[in-house]
Amino acid sequence: MTTPETNELIYVYAFVPADEASKEKLGQLKGIDPQHEIDFYITEGLAAVICKVSADDFSEDNFKRNVEDMKWLQERAYHHHELMNRLHQVFTVLPLKFGTIYEHNERLSEVMKTYNSQMKVILEEVKGKEEWNLKVFADRDVFSKSVLENNQVIEEKKREISNLSKGKQFFARKKLDQFINDEIQAHIKRKTETIHEELKKLSKNAEVKKNWDQKITGREDDMAWNCVYLLETGDDVNSFKQILRSYQEKSDEENEGLRFESTGPWPAYHFANFKSKSPKVES
């Protein structure tokens, strides 16, 4: 437990292999508590990237209170994110979520021992790799034109409707609108899944995520695909980018209304799934 004399906790950013841990490579970096520098805690063949923090800000109750302050949260979450990217440039990283805190070295050491094999396997799996996210957005109005153009099924349905009585035409058109919407969705799905299957051949792992709605994206077009890929640094990343450029060029040439947006490289947030069964502040 913390004591009145020290009043300090341990903030943990990530784990790296012990043989990669080097203060020289790390440099002198201020921690999430700027009164302390980033350091390593090494045991069991692993190195925890840590910073001492004040219990006044990071004890469990104080932390819960502070994250309600958006300015406090944004500053520290940004620091955590930026440091993780910097670590990824230098080390093989098993990243931890923002706000992973231990009360003392003994508890941290216990966790590193208990989950030692699991963490080493993960570190080996993500070594020399980077995470990339792909989001595909679809302008439905533009995309629908390419779907509806010369669509014989839809044209036939329109002709059938024109021969119905006016009362029946209303309900038939409602059904046709739903059919057209389903056709558009099916075409978008086939398109994105085709791209995904091509990208999966390059990837060591991939995880399809839930699409965000327009309230989250703040965009007028719809998110049609959201996926993260684990790629070997180098040729596979270059091929990944080239494939997306080719699809974007094709979409632009054919006026499909698709927009491909990739971001990376990131640490393997989605593929380094280390989870210890413990509370926010670990005692």
PDB file of all heavy atoms in Angstrom, residues 209-230:
ATOM      1  N   LYS A 209     -14.371  -4.431 -36.940  1.00  0.00           N
ATOM      2  CA  LYS A 209     -14.967  -3.642 -35.867  1.00  0.00           C
ATOM      3  C   LYS A 209     -16.354  -3.160 -36.292  1.00  0.00           C
ATOM      4  O   LYS A 209     -16.708  -3.155 -37.473  1.00  0.00           O
ATOM      5  CB  LYS A 209     -14.087  -2.428 -35.541  1.00  0.00           C
ATOM      6  CG  LYS A 209     -12.620  -2.767 -35.307  1.00  0.00           C
ATOM      7  CD  LYS A 209     -12.427  -3.644 -34.081  1.00  0.00           C
ATOM      8  CE  LYS A 209     -12.707  -2.892 -32.807  1.00  0.00           C
ATOM      9  NZ  LYS A 209     -12.447  -3.740 -31.607  1.00  0.00           N
ATOM     10  N   LYS A 210     -17.111  -2.710 -35.325  1.00  0.00           N
ATOM     11  CA  LYS A 210     -18.446  -2.166 -35.594  1.00  0.00           C
ATOM     12  C   LYS A 210     -18.329  -0.840 -36.337  1.00  0.00           C
ATOM     13  O   LYS A 210     -17.491  -0.004 -36.009  1.00  0.00           O
ATOM     14  CB  LYS A 210     -19.194  -1.959 -34.274  1.00  0.00           C
ATOM     15  CG  LYS A 210     -20.619  -1.468 -34.432  1.00  0.00           C
ATOM     16  CD  LYS A 210     -21.289  -1.311 -33.076  1.00  0.00           C
ATOM     17  CE  LYS A 210     -22.721  -0.774 -33.235  1.00  0.00           C
ATOM     18  NZ  LYS A 210     -23.377  -0.608 -31.910  1.00  0.00           N
ATOM     19  N   ASN A 211     -19.176  -0.653 -37.339  1.00  0.00           N
ATOM     20  CA  ASN A 211     -19.204   0.629 -38.048  1.00  0.00           C
ATOM     21  C   ASN A 211     -19.765   1.717 -37.134  1.00  0.00           C
ATOM     22  O   ASN A 211     -20.666   1.466 -36.336  1.00  0.00           O
ATOM     23  CB  ASN A 211     -20.069   0.531 -39.309  1.00  0.00           C
ATOM     24  CG  ASN A 211     -19.450  -0.340 -40.372  1.00  0.00           C
ATOM     25  OD1 ASN A 211     -18.238  -0.515 -40.422  1.00  0.00           O
ATOM     26  ND2 ASN A 211     -20.279  -0.901 -41.245  1.00  0.00           N
ATOM     27  N   TRP A 212     -19.225   2.922 -37.278  1.00  0.00           N
ATOM     28  CA  TRP A 212     -19.707   4.064 -36.495  1.00  0.00           C
ATOM     29  C   TRP A 212     -20.840   4.746 -37.254  1.00  0.00           C
ATOM     30  O   TRP A 212     -20.825   4.828 -38.477  1.00  0.00           O
ATOM     31  CB  TRP A 212     -18.588   5.071 -36.279  1.00  0.00           C
ATOM     32  CG  TRP A 212     -17.406   4.533 -35.529  1.00  0.00           C
ATOM     33  CD1 TRP A 212     -17.307   3.327 -34.892  1.00  0.00           C
ATOM     34  CD2 TRP A 212     -16.142   5.182 -35.357  1.00  0.00           C
ATOM     35  NE1 TRP A 212     -16.064   3.176 -34.330  1.00  0.00           N
ATOM     36  CE2 TRP A 212     -15.325   4.301 -34.601  1.00  0.00           C
ATOM     37  CE3 TRP A 212     -15.619   6.406 -35.765  1.00  0.00           C
ATOM     38  CZ2 TRP A 212     -14.011   4.622 -34.250  1.00  0.00           C
ATOM     39  CZ3 TRP A 212     -14.324   6.729 -35.414  1.00  0.00           C
ATOM     40  CH2 TRP A 212     -13.535   5.844 -34.653  1.00  0.00           C
ATOM     41  N   ASP A 213     -21.808   5.280 -36.498  1.00  0.00           N
ATOM     42  CA  ASP A 213     -22.874   6.022 -37.166  1.00  0.00           C
ATOM     43  C   ASP A 213     -22.440   7.473 -37.389  1.00  0.00           C
ATOM     44  O   ASP A 213     -21.379   7.909 -36.932  1.00  0.00           O
ATOM     45  CB  ASP A 213     -24.193   5.939 -36.388  1.00  0.00           C
ATOM     46  CG  ASP A 213     -24.098   6.534 -34.984  1.00  0.00           C
ATOM     47  OD1 ASP A 213     -23.323   7.493 -34.780  1.00  0.00           O
ATOM     48  OD2 ASP A 213     -24.820   6.054 -34.098  1.00  0.00           O
ATOM     49  N   GLN A 214     -23.258   8.207 -38.095  1.00  0.00           N
ATOM     50  CA  GLN A 214     -22.902   9.568 -38.497  1.00  0.00           C
ATOM     51  C   GLN A 214     -22.781  10.519 -37.308  1.00  0.00           C
ATOM     52  O   GLN A 214     -22.059  11.518 -37.388  1.00  0.00           O
ATOM     53  CB  GLN A 214     -23.923  10.106 -39.499  1.00  0.00           C
ATOM     54  CG  GLN A 214     -23.872   9.396 -40.837  1.00  0.00           C
ATOM     55  CD  GLN A 214     -24.939   9.880 -41.798  1.00  0.00           C
ATOM     56  OE1 GLN A 214     -25.975  10.397 -41.388  1.00  0.00           O
ATOM     57  NE2 GLN A 214     -24.690   9.706 -43.088  1.00  0.00           N
ATOM     58  N   LYS A 215     -23.440  10.212 -36.209  1.00  0.00           N
ATOM     59  CA  LYS A 215     -23.325  11.057 -35.013  1.00  0.00           C
ATOM     60  C   LYS A 215     -21.902  11.031 -34.476  1.00  0.00           C
ATOM     61  O   LYS A 215     -21.414  12.019 -33.916  1.00  0.00           O
ATOM     62  CB  LYS A 215     -24.303  10.580 -33.934  1.00  0.00           C
ATOM     63  CG  LYS A 215     -25.760  10.836 -34.265  1.00  0.00           C
ATOM     64  CD  LYS A 215     -26.652  10.347 -33.145  1.00  0.00           C
ATOM     65  CE  LYS A 215     -28.130  10.584 -33.476  1.00  0.00           C
ATOM     66  NZ  LYS A 215     -29.026  10.079 -32.400  1.00  0.00           N
ATOM     67  N   ILE A 216     -21.234   9.887 -34.636  1.00  0.00           N
ATOM     68  CA  ILE A 216     -19.862   9.752 -34.149  1.00  0.00           C
ATOM     69  C   ILE A 216     -18.872  10.304 -35.169  1.00  0.00           C
ATOM     70  O   ILE A 216     -17.937  11.018 -34.816  1.00  0.00           O
ATOM     71  CB  ILE A 216     -19.542   8.278 -33.834  1.00  0.00           C
ATOM     72  CG1 ILE A 216     -20.462   7.769 -32.710  1.00  0.00           C
ATOM     73  CG2 ILE A 216     -18.074   8.111 -33.437  1.00  0.00           C
ATOM     74  CD1 ILE A 216     -20.294   6.304 -32.393  1.00  0.00           C
ATOM     75  N   THR A 217     -19.067   9.965 -36.447  1.00  0.00           N
ATOM     76  CA  THR A 217     -18.101  10.388 -37.475  1.00  0.00           C
ATOM     77  C   THR A 217     -18.238  11.861 -37.817  1.00  0.00           C
ATOM     78  O   THR A 217     -17.270  12.496 -38.245  1.00  0.00           O
ATOM     79  CB  THR A 217     -18.273   9.564 -38.760  1.00  0.00           C
ATOM     80  OG1 THR A 217     -19.556   9.848 -39.342  1.00  0.00           O
ATOM     81  CG2 THR A 217     -18.159   8.069 -38.482  1.00  0.00           C
ATOM     82  N   GLY A 218     -19.448  12.407 -37.668  1.00  0.00           N
ATOM     83  CA  GLY A 218     -19.678  13.788 -38.053  1.00  0.00           C
ATOM     84  C   GLY A 218     -19.659  13.989 -39.560  1.00  0.00           C
ATOM     85  O   GLY A 218     -19.507  15.116 -40.042  1.00  0.00           O
ATOM     86  N   ARG A 219     -19.845  12.902 -40.312  1.00  0.00           N
ATOM     87  CA  ARG A 219     -19.782  12.952 -41.773  1.00  0.00           C
ATOM     88  C   ARG A 219     -21.167  12.709 -42.364  1.00  0.00           C
ATOM     89  O   ARG A 219     -22.052  12.142 -41.704  1.00  0.00           O
ATOM     90  CB  ARG A 219     -18.804  11.890 -42.293  1.00  0.00           C
ATOM     91  CG  ARG A 219     -17.390  12.067 -41.816  1.00  0.00           C
ATOM     92  CD  ARG A 219     -16.533  10.865 -42.169  1.00  0.00           C
ATOM     93  NE  ARG A 219     -16.480  10.627 -43.598  1.00  0.00           N
ATOM     94  CZ  ARG A 219     -15.359  10.520 -44.297  1.00  0.00           C
ATOM     95  NH1 ARG A 219     -14.181  10.641 -43.693  1.00  0.00           N
ATOM     96  NH2 ARG A 219     -15.375  10.283 -45.591  1.00  0.00           N
ATOM     97  N   GLU A 220     -21.324  13.119 -43.628  1.00  0.00           N
ATOM     98  CA  GLU A 220     -22.586  12.895 -44.328  1.00  0.00           C
ATOM     99  C   GLU A 220     -22.622  11.524 -44.996  1.00  0.00           C
ATOM    100  O   GLU A 220     -23.705  10.970 -45.222  1.00  0.00           O
ATOM    101  CB  GLU A 220     -22.816  13.994 -45.364  1.00  0.00           C
ATOM    102  CG  GLU A 220     -23.035  15.374 -44.736  1.00  0.00           C
ATOM    103  CD  GLU A 220     -23.361  16.432 -45.770  1.00  0.00           C
ATOM    104  OE1 GLU A 220     -23.416  16.088 -46.971  1.00  0.00           O
ATOM    105  OE2 GLU A 220     -23.554  17.596 -45.364  1.00  0.00           O
ATOM    106  N   ASP A 221     -21.443  10.987 -45.354  1.00  0.00           N
ATOM    107  CA  ASP A 221     -21.434   9.648 -45.935  1.00  0.00           C
ATOM    108  C   ASP A 221     -21.441   8.598 -44.825  1.00  0.00           C
ATOM    109  O   ASP A 221     -21.170   8.885 -43.661  1.00  0.00           O
ATOM    110  CB  ASP A 221     -20.237   9.447 -46.871  1.00  0.00           C
ATOM    111  CG  ASP A 221     -18.917   9.894 -46.252  1.00  0.00           C
ATOM    112  OD1 ASP A 221     -18.920  10.307 -45.077  1.00  0.00           O
ATOM    113  OD2 ASP A 221     -17.893   9.835 -46.946  1.00  0.00           O
ATOM    114  N   ASP A 222     -21.770   7.371 -45.190  1.00  0.00           N
ATOM    115  CA  ASP A 222     -21.911   6.282 -44.218  1.00  0.00           C
ATOM    116  C   ASP A 222     -20.625   5.474 -44.099  1.00  0.00           C
ATOM    117  O   ASP A 222     -19.974   5.195 -45.114  1.00  0.00           O
ATOM    118  CB  ASP A 222     -23.041   5.333 -44.628  1.00  0.00           C
ATOM    119  CG  ASP A 222     -24.399   6.008 -44.631  1.00  0.00           C
ATOM    120  OD1 ASP A 222     -24.619   6.884 -43.780  1.00  0.00           O
ATOM    121  OD2 ASP A 222     -25.239   5.664 -45.495  1.00  0.00           O
ATOM    122  N   MET A 223     -20.272   5.086 -42.876  1.00  0.00           N
ATOM    123  CA  MET A 223     -19.159   4.159 -42.714  1.00  0.00           C
ATOM    124  C   MET A 223     -19.633   2.772 -43.137  1.00  0.00           C
ATOM    125  O   MET A 223     -20.612   2.250 -42.604  1.00  0.00           O
ATOM    126  CB  MET A 223     -18.647   4.130 -41.272  1.00  0.00           C
ATOM    127  CG  MET A 223     -17.400   3.278 -41.108  1.00  0.00           C
ATOM    128  SD  MET A 223     -16.778   3.190 -39.392  1.00  0.00           S
ATOM    129  CE  MET A 223     -16.227   4.871 -39.137  1.00  0.00           C
ATOM    130  N   ALA A 224     -18.943   2.202 -44.119  1.00  0.00           N
ATOM    131  CA  ALA A 224     -19.340   0.907 -44.668  1.00  0.00           C
ATOM    132  C   ALA A 224     -18.436  -0.229 -44.197  1.00  0.00           C
ATOM    133  O   ALA A 224     -18.789  -1.396 -44.320  1.00  0.00           O
ATOM    134  CB  ALA A 224     -19.332   0.964 -46.195  1.00  0.00           C
ATOM    135  N   TRP A 225     -17.245   0.108 -43.688  1.00  0.00           N
ATOM    136  CA  TRP A 225     -16.312  -0.923 -43.248  1.00  0.00           C
ATOM    137  C   TRP A 225     -15.371  -0.330 -42.205  1.00  0.00           C
ATOM    138  O   TRP A 225     -14.960   0.827 -42.316  1.00  0.00           O
ATOM    139  CB  TRP A 225     -15.503  -1.463 -44.429  1.00  0.00           C
ATOM    140  CG  TRP A 225     -14.674  -2.673 -44.100  1.00  0.00           C
ATOM    141  CD1 TRP A 225     -13.329  -2.740 -43.873  1.00  0.00           C
ATOM    142  CD2 TRP A 225     -15.165  -4.007 -43.933  1.00  0.00           C
ATOM    143  NE1 TRP A 225     -12.950  -4.028 -43.596  1.00  0.00           N
ATOM    144  CE2 TRP A 225     -14.053  -4.836 -43.619  1.00  0.00           C
ATOM    145  CE3 TRP A 225     -16.428  -4.582 -44.023  1.00  0.00           C
ATOM    146  CZ2 TRP A 225     -14.174  -6.198 -43.400  1.00  0.00           C
ATOM    147  CZ3 TRP A 225     -16.549  -5.952 -43.801  1.00  0.00           C
ATOM    148  CH2 TRP A 225     -15.428  -6.744 -43.499  1.00  0.00           C
ATOM    149  N   ASN A 226     -15.046  -1.128 -41.194  1.00  0.00           N
ATOM    150  CA  ASN A 226     -14.151  -0.688 -40.128  1.00  0.00           C
ATOM    151  C   ASN A 226     -13.383  -1.910 -39.645  1.00  0.00           C
ATOM    152  O   ASN A 226     -13.967  -2.828 -39.072  1.00  0.00           O
ATOM    153  CB  ASN A 226     -14.957  -0.063 -38.983  1.00  0.00           C
ATOM    154  CG  ASN A 226     -14.082   0.506 -37.889  1.00  0.00           C
ATOM    155  OD1 ASN A 226     -12.871   0.674 -38.055  1.00  0.00           O
ATOM    156  ND2 ASN A 226     -14.688   0.825 -36.756  1.00  0.00           N
ATOM    157  N   CYS A 227     -12.082  -1.940 -39.926  1.00  0.00           N
ATOM    158  CA  CYS A 227     -11.302  -3.129 -39.592  1.00  0.00           C
ATOM    159  C   CYS A 227      -9.871  -2.745 -39.250  1.00  0.00           C
ATOM    160  O   CYS A 227      -9.352  -1.729 -39.740  1.00  0.00           O
ATOM    161  CB  CYS A 227     -11.312  -4.103 -40.776  1.00  0.00           C
ATOM    162  SG  CYS A 227     -10.603  -5.732 -40.401  1.00  0.00           S
ATOM    163  N   VAL A 228      -9.252  -3.523 -38.372  1.00  0.00           N
ATOM    164  CA  VAL A 228      -7.837  -3.331 -38.064  1.00  0.00           C
ATOM    165  C   VAL A 228      -7.057  -4.551 -38.535  1.00  0.00           C
ATOM    166  O   VAL A 228      -7.551  -5.682 -38.482  1.00  0.00           O
ATOM    167  CB  VAL A 228      -7.600  -3.107 -36.549  1.00  0.00           C
ATOM    168  CG1 VAL A 228      -8.065  -1.728 -36.146  1.00  0.00           C
ATOM    169  CG2 VAL A 228      -8.277  -4.167 -35.702  1.00  0.00           C
ATOM    170  N   TYR A 229      -5.834  -4.295 -39.013  1.00  0.00           N
ATOM    171  CA  TYR A 229      -4.986  -5.339 -39.584  1.00  0.00           C
ATOM    172  C   TYR A 229      -3.618  -5.295 -38.910  1.00  0.00           C
ATOM    173  O   TYR A 229      -3.085  -4.214 -38.639  1.00  0.00           O
ATOM    174  CB  TYR A 229      -4.811  -5.117 -41.089  1.00  0.00           C
ATOM    175  CG  TYR A 229      -6.116  -5.131 -41.855  1.00  0.00           C
ATOM    176  CD1 TYR A 229      -6.846  -3.957 -42.032  1.00  0.00           C
ATOM    177  CD2 TYR A 229      -6.618  -6.308 -42.394  1.00  0.00           C
ATOM    178  CE1 TYR A 229      -8.042  -3.963 -42.734  1.00  0.00           C
ATOM    179  CE2 TYR A 229      -7.816  -6.323 -43.092  1.00  0.00           C
ATOM    180  CZ  TYR A 229      -8.528  -5.146 -43.252  1.00  0.00           C
ATOM    181  OH  TYR A 229      -9.722  -5.156 -43.940  1.00  0.00           O
ATOM    182  N   LEU A 230      -3.068  -6.460 -38.654  1.00  0.00           N
ATOM    183  CA  LEU A 230      -1.722  -6.580 -38.106  1.00  0.00           C
ATOM    184  C   LEU A 230      -0.791  -6.958 -39.251  1.00  0.00           C
ATOM    185  O   LEU A 230      -0.911  -8.040 -39.830  1.00  0.00           O
ATOM    186  CB  LEU A 230      -1.677  -7.645 -37.006  1.00  0.00           C
ATOM    187  CG  LEU A 230      -0.350  -7.770 -36.249  1.00  0.00           C
ATOM    188  CD1 LEU A 230      -0.052  -6.499 -35.450  1.00  0.00           C
ATOM    189  CD2 LEU A 230      -0.369  -8.986 -35.314  1.00  0.00           C
TER     190      LEU A 230
END
